[in-house]
Amino acid sequence: MKRITKMMVSTLLVASLAVGLSACGNSSGTNSSSGTNNGTAPKAEKVTLSFWGISTAEPERSELEKIIKEWNDNNPDIQIEYSGTENNAYKTKIKTAIAAGEAPDIMYSWTGGFAQPFVEAGKILSLDEYLTDETKDQMLPGALDNITYDGKVYGITYGQMAGALYVNTELFDQYQVKIPTTFSELMTAVDTFNQNGVKPMITGMKDLWPGMWIYDMIALRESGSQLSLDALNGKASFTDPAFVNAADKIQQLVNAGAFGNGVLGMTQDEAEAEFNQGKVAMLFGGNWMASKMEADSSMVKGKIKAVRFPASEDGKGDPTEYVGGGSDAMLVSADTKYKEQAVKAATYLAKAQAEQGYLSGINLPTWKYDSLDQSQINPLAKEIMDNIITGAAGSVPVWDIYLNGADAKTHQDLVAEVFANQITPEQFGAQMQDKVNGN
Amino acid sequence: MQNLLGDKKAIFLFVFPTFLVFTVIIILPIFFSGYYSLLEWDGFSNGKFIGLGNYVDLFVNNTDGFTKGVKNSIVLAIVSVGIQLPISLLLALILARGVKFEKLYRTVYFIPVIISTVVIGQLWMKIYHPNYGMLNIILNKIGLGFLANEWIGNTQTALGAVFVALLWQYVGYHMLLMYASAKSISTEIYEAAKIDGANEPTLALKITIPLMKPILRVCVVFSVIGSFKAFDLIYVLTNGGPLHATEVPTTIMYTSIFAKYQYGYGSAMAIFIIVECLVATVIIQRMFGKDPVN
Amino acid sequence: MESNVMTVPQMNPKSKFSFKTTGKALLSLALAAYAIIQVYPLFWLLLFSFKDNNEIFGGNVLGLPEVWRWSNYTSALTTGDVGVYFINSIIVTAATILLSSVMLAATSYAIVRMYWKLNNLFLTYFLIGLMVPIHATLLPLFVILRNMHMLNTYWSLIIPYVAFALPMGIFILTGFLNSIPRELEEAACIDGCSIYKIFGKIIIPLLRPALATVAIFTYMNTWNELMFANTFINSEKLKTLTVGIMSLAGQHTTDWGPIGAGLVIATIPTLLIYVLLSDQVQKSLIVGSVKG
């Protein structure tokens, strides 16, 4: 009997040596070079770059495949090999792969707090020595802000987000409501719609981020972009009246029935569907929601206007500022064997996706887009670009992008508690300060 | 026979491949997790050794409401054993004693188990939806409109609502296990008992259920462990919300590891879940006593 | 179904009799009602797969679709290479069931029937696997599979799936083996066959019903698994069906109709295999019960 155990244990030991017990073992970086073992080969070495992204659904998927095919046709020596993973699953996958030292050569990432741990752990290539001024000139001002850490650029953005207040003009006309430009006008609009049995606003709080967008927007109106950023960077306190007032305004809206009876039970998919059925007067949300509103199946097609969120009468913020900023980026792995080529390809991918995303209304570009055929652009997306972004005094990323993982979650949770009237505005400010800036 | 069944080489061949795969794929990661659980580590940078600090955070400081999650999972285990298993047992007993369409029912009752959790989650979200959900519509129709609720959007009702969905999903699972066991009881025993004038409930209580003891123990163990590890459907339905009302240890663990970059902390939760399951299993085995066979 | 209930043969014509019939009728009614509740998800999924977001989210949740959108099926079938995904799922699932069945049967047999001292220890050891929360194993497993150079191959899925199928399989099979008499093997042994022959010729056939039960569970877990399949596989050529279907979810907005259609497509083989295997379970169970 003992012999059996002995046999098993010894064989297991051998096997475990083969498996390798080290978690942090560093593999040879990438496993992407296909069939080119002769490392001493002169130039014209054929290189295959692995690229992971999240474009898996139509139309993004086909568009991206087209973009990659064009590159591969033009660059026979540098081939891009794409692997797409669904949005949520991708978050788990990319973190696991990076943690195990198996990052692809080029990868999609959200900017701000999502990429920060990778950058800090030295897993991402700093692009400063690769990015030429010529490239940077093609980008919009501030395009790289959200992917810059400690003064170094670690990625190339292509899409930016902007929060917009979508208003259903048909309902506004029908009940003769003025499209609100100040918070008190917003409250009036809410009351009027409620009196007429129309749901004034809707938000998918079950997903947490939609309500957080509203809070971050109001906070920006109250504080102004500088104070918002200072607080997010720990240089100012969330107990500042601006952030407390913003929470108070959320509760004013909730208590006035702006979002109907229950706010916590609905997903954003459900909320948007209800808005697109023409049952709701207003929706505050991201620019990408425009593409669904303008889709053929939408019952509000052509009836929606995208406007700036109303100003706060007592707020310090400039009423042209918006929440958003560069959010989608291409990163290059620090372990890649082909740094030069990977950066070149990542730059191409970013630029091409910026254009394609704008045309289809999914993304607002962080690259200059004058060369695009303006008539091809999704009308609502153009409206957001022209009315909200152009001429804005500044912008702040939505906070769950700016903050890192745990803090982002804390912020979302606290905003949900504000929506549910579980905490007072003062408690919100104090807890934000304590949990996010406290350590 | 003795010699054959004591053949060491055969035993090795029969057991070792299983042992190897099992050890490398399941046990080894537990050791990794055990080690990670002693670190303050985001998964990427160099971890900092903090001893039992993560465990102190979990239970003494209770930073992420972990104890509430544990409490929820224990409640789930209790209602699983107290409500779900009796329903499964009842169905299994009825079907095993032979009713019309026995085979059809047996097949159909199991269907929720084989359907992807994505589908089950979407379905229950539609059932519970405040505006157009089936549950509220039915309540309104039968004059109980005042009971209509947000169900999974209301912190008061969310946990109960999620539990109902979870219990429903696995009734068929336990039923199938119990049915197989009940069906294998010899009909002669029943005939003999019937001659003595026993009716169906007595038959079930006095003969069938005692003979089913081994499988009942299995079901209780699965049910409790399953409750402690429950994740998929809760993740799809509420992801622990609203306001953490439906949080269980696995959802907190998942959020910690994959959303909050707290790999060490999340690993401590994983280790706790394993220990919790082990303890529960030992207790259940004790309560059922020794296996009557062998 | 109600009419059937009424004509249930009456076997006990006494005074209690009508009371009993009503009881039986009620019972049948309850069973039928419960059956409807259990099949409802399939029916709902089918309707769902023909709707668009407006109907799915509020416009028309329960009713028949206003327009039968076959285009959902076209999108589901044309996004990516569904045929390839389907074959991959079949390969991975079949290999998992096959491998795990053989390993389970052999190990359970050795634990229950063969003579060695540590059998109970090994049994307990394997059962620990039931308690492991799968999400915590993702990173360690990724590292292990990388070091074994298995990432992005079928093996990176098959081996973990087999491993996670083992604990419950061993649990069920050892229980089952405990309940069948030893005489059969001993009778076979008189004819002087080897242990391998006993295992192959006598034990495996005996275990068939239990193996079928285990196979159903293994199938479910393997066919529907998402986390490993998403993380360990990069190549489009190796993706499994469930991953392919969930890829239809977009970055910001999701068309649920095609996903519904994809799920219908993925559920059909599940139902087929389930009905097939469950028949096998049924037949073997009857054989088993006759034997006592």
Side-chain angles (χ1 to χ4, degrees), chain B residues 72-174:
Chain B
N72 285 345
S73 71
I74 292 174
V75 174
L76 177 61
I78 292 170
V79 293
S80 294
V81 174
I83 297 172
Q84 180 188 50
L85 292 187
I87 295 174
S88 304
L89 180 62
L90 188 67
L91 289 172
L93 288 175
I94 293 172
L95 292 190
R97 287 299 283 136
V99 288
K100 228 175 176 181
F101 307 118
E102 170 187 337
K103 201 185 132 196
L104 177 76
Y105 287 144
R106 179 180 54 79
T107 310
V108 161
Y109 289 173
F110 191 69
I111 281 177
V113 185
I114 58 168
I115 297 178
S116 152
T117 303
V118 181
V119 176
I120 304 278
Q122 285 295 326
L123 170 68
W124 281 93
M125 274 160 74
K126 300 294 173 285
I127 291 176
Y128 286 139
H129 194 277
N131 302 346
Y132 52 73
M134 200 188 313
L135 187 54
N136 281 354
I137 290 175
I138 291 173
L139 285 174
N140 281 321
K141 284 226 169 102
I142 58 172
L144 294 171
F146 60 92
L147 286 177
N149 206 319
E150 268 196 284
W151 305 114
I152 50 174
N154 179 336
T155 48
Q156 305 292 316
T157 52
L159 193 66
V162 170
F163 282 1
V164 167
L166 274 166
L167 297 187
W168 168 81
Q169 191 183 11
Y170 286 107
V171 163
Y173 178 97
H174 296 292

Side-chain angles (χ1 to χ4, degrees), chain A residues 1 5 19-20 22 25 52 56-57 61 83-84 86 89 93 100 102 108 269-270 273 277 288 292 297 328, chain C residues 54 57 59 80 85 117-118 122 138 142-144 146-147 230 233-234 236 239 246-249 251-252 255-256:
Chain A
M1 284 116 258
T5 333
V19 168
S22 145
W52 290 3
T56 57
R61 182 196 182 105
S83 169
E86 184 269 326
K93 175 171 181 153
E102 282 290 305
Y108 169 87
D269 275 342
E270 292 169 332
Q277 285 157 18
W288 65 87
K292 270 273 183 304
S297 62
D328 299 303
Chain C
N54 276 337
F57 296 121
Y85 302 159
K117 269 203 183 126
L118 295 167
F122 271 88
L138 185 66
F142 191 97
V143 173
I144 290 166
R146 178 198 66 197
N147 292 359
N230 260 317
I233 297 292
N234 307 322
E236 197 64 22
K239 276 187 181 163
M246 289 324 287
S247 318
L248 294 167
Q251 180 183 359
H252 296 304
D255 279 327
W256 281 96

Side-chain angles (χ1 to χ4, degrees), chain A residues 66-370:
Chain A
K66 243 185 278 167
I67 291 172
I68 292 171
K69 188 172 182 303
E70 197 185 316
W71 168 275
N72 284 346
D73 289 346
N74 293 335
N75 298 277
D77 292 341
I78 313 172
Q79 295 288 296
I80 298 175
E81 200 175 79
Y82 174 64
S83 169
T85 307
E86 184 269 326
N87 193 59
N88 273 321
Y90 182 77
K91 292 176 185 167
T92 307
K93 175 171 181 153
I94 192 73
K95 285 173 190 171
T96 307
I98 292 178
E102 282 290 305
D105 300 297
I106 304 169
M107 70 204 96
Y108 169 87
S109 173
W110 292 267
T111 58
F114 186 88
Q116 193 173 4
F118 316 151
V119 169
E120 283 173 358
K123 307 278 189 181
I124 305 297
L125 186 69
S126 162
L127 302 183
D128 288 321
E129 52 178 301
Y130 299 96
L131 279 183
T132 60
D133 286 340
E134 188 199 349
T135 310
K136 286 185 188 160
D137 281 345
Q138 296 177 51
M139 303 183 80
L140 294 173
L144 297 172
D145 287 358
N146 292 343
I147 199 69
T148 303
Y149 305 90
D150 265 342
K152 286 184 179 169
V153 176
Y154 285 91
I156 309 158
T157 60
Y158 63 90
Q160 63 169 316
M161 305 191 297
L165 183 68
Y166 297 102
V167 296
N168 182 329
T169 52
E170 196 178 46
L171 291 173
F172 273 81
D173 289 347
Q174 189 181 342
Y175 299 104
Q176 297 177 340
V177 183
K178 181 175 181 283
I179 292 175
T181 54
T182 65
F183 192 78
S184 51
E185 283 175 12
L186 177 65
M187 291 302 285
T188 313
V190 165
D191 287 341
T192 316
F193 283 120
N194 264 335
Q195 280 155 22
N196 290 293
V198 174
K199 208 172 195 182
M201 299 177 86
I202 196 160
T203 183
M205 263 314 270
K206 201 182 142 193
D207 295 334
L208 295 178
W209 60 264
M212 183 208 67
W213 272 64
I214 304 176
Y215 173 82
D216 294 351
M217 183 68 240
I218 298 179
L220 180 58
R221 288 282 179 271
E222 292 290 327
S223 69
S225 54
Q226 197 52 52
L227 182 55
S228 271
L229 287 171
D230 282 349
L232 289 168
N233 288 327
K235 292 179 201 148
S237 172
F238 288 111
T239 55
D240 188 286
F243 302 114
V244 175
N245 287 344
D248 180 59
K249 287 210 156 80
I250 292 281
Q251 290 186 338
Q252 285 180 36
L253 283 169
V254 170
N255 296 339
F259 305 100
N261 292 326
V263 286
L264 295 179
M266 202 183 288
T267 65
Q268 184 64 16
D269 275 342
E270 292 169 332
E272 279 177 54
E274 210 169 320
F275 184 79
N276 292 348
Q277 285 157 18
K279 294 177 184 165
V280 186
M282 291 173 277
L283 173 85
F284 180 77
N287 52 284
W288 65 87
M289 296 170 193
S291 65
K292 270 273 183 304
M293 294 173 193
E294 290 295 302
D296 288 331
S297 62
S298 163
M299 290 172 222
V300 295
K301 188 177 179 183
K303 297 171 189 166
I304 303 299
K305 260 181 85 165
V307 299
R308 285 189 167 125
F309 193 83
S312 283
E313 286 88 345
D314 51 354
K316 285 179 274 185
D318 184 304
T320 65
E321 290 171 335
Y322 65 98
V323 287
S327 67
D328 299 303
M330 292 290 135
L331 312 186
V332 174
S333 165
D335 294 334
T336 180
K337 283 188 225 157
Y338 316 105
K339 296 190 168 64
E340 202 93 27
Q341 295 95 322
V343 175
K344 214 175 126 196
T347 313
Y348 162 82
L349 285 170
K351 183 170 192 242
Q353 287 192 92
E355 290 169 358
Q356 167 256 316
Y358 191 29
L359 288 175
S360 60
I362 293 156
N363 258 325
L364 300 172
T366 56
W367 291 64
K368 290 178 183 159
Y369 51 92
D370 311 323

Side-chain angles (χ1 to χ4, degrees), chain C residues 178-195:
Chain C
N178 267 325
S179 72
I180 52 177
R182 286 165 184 268
E183 286 83 26
L184 275 171
E185 296 150 74
E186 276 160 20
C189 190
I190 296 167
D191 307 342
C193 56
S194 75
I195 186 80

Side-chain angles (χ1 to χ4, degrees), chain C residues 8-105:
Chain C
V8 161
Q10 303 153 1
M11 338 219 300
N12 195 359
K14 280 187 195 161
S15 58
K16 294 189 279 184
F17 163 72
S18 68
F19 170 73
K20 254 198 161 170
T21 320
T22 336
K24 268 198 171 161
L26 278 176
L27 181 67
S28 300
L29 207 65
L31 289 176
Y34 193 69
I36 290 170
I37 294 176
Q38 301 301 89
V39 213
Y40 181 75
L42 281 180
F43 177 68
W44 173 81
L45 175 63
L46 196 66
L47 294 185
F48 176 100
S49 72
F50 286 101
K51 296 179 179 177
D52 68 0
N53 273 20
N54 276 337
E55 286 185 84
I56 292 168
F57 296 121
N60 171 16
V61 187
L62 302 174
L64 296 177
E66 286 154 18
V67 188
W68 293 79
R69 285 182 187 75
W70 288 98
S71 59
N72 286 345
Y73 280 83
T74 333
S75 334
L77 287 169
T78 50
T79 303
D81 209 335
V82 175
V84 172
Y85 302 159
F86 204 98
I87 292 167
N88 288 336
S89 274
I90 290 175
I91 292 173
V92 169
T93 310
T96 303
I97 292 180
L98 217 71
L99 266 176
S100 64
S101 296
V102 174
M103 289 164 75
L104 284 167

